[in-house]
Amino acid sequence: MQPIAHLVKVTIPDYLGNLPIPDSIGGWFRLSFKDWLALIPPTAVAAGLGYTFYKAFCPKAREGGPRRVNHVVQLSNPKVVDAIDVEDIADQAAFCRCWKSKNWPYCDGTHATHNKQHGDNVGPVIVKKKK
Ligand code: FES
């Protein structure tokens, strides 16, 4: 415990106290190249800690991992692929492009709720048969 206590009570405060942080805004412009080099490690650590806390605690950063589009349709499939026979379409069919329909691959109007909540403008693609 002694080394950790020394690190927290002596080493880190001494290190931070010796950083060339100016007392005024104008002081930043008078820093030497060596002073700027000395500020890189603590800045990198602060940025890393900030990013780590952001990823850990910000709900936006955590939701759905790396920006998934599909949160609803056939989530257990590695790839969602649908084939529709044109002959099975009556006069027209609306296919979902927002990935939120409960009646996939057809549009069920859920895009309207999504658009309202997120200020988006997505909608279905409508396939019509020639008459
Ligand atoms: S529900 Fe997805 S486009 Fe309409």
Side-chain angles (χ1 to χ4, degrees), residues 19-113:
L19 287 175
I21 297 174
D23 295 327
S24 65
I25 292 175
W28 289 100
F29 298 103
R30 290 187 290 275
L31 291 178
S32 69
F33 181 72
K34 189 178 169 188
D35 292 338
W36 282 107
L37 284 180
L39 291 173
I40 290 174
T43 303
V45 169
L49 287 173
Y51 181 72
T52 301
F53 280 108
Y54 167 73
K55 292 296 280 183
F57 298 112
C58 181
K60 277 240 181 229
R62 288 188 298 175
E63 76 185 20
R67 299 295 169 223
R68 284 189 66 114
V69 171
N70 178 15
H71 298 273
V72 177
V73 180
Q74 302 174 27
L75 296 178
S76 60
N77 280 350
K79 180 173 17 176
V80 178
V81 177
D82 296 290
I84 308 289
D85 190 336
V86 173
E87 299 303 321
D88 293 341
I89 296 173
D91 290 334
Q92 69 177 35
F95 293 96
C96 178
R97 292 192 297 181
C98 75
W99 290 88
K100 306 213 178 315
S101 175
K102 305 282 186 293
N103 189 30
W104 184 265
Y106 300 99
C107 171
D108 69 355
T110 304
H111 62 267
T113 304

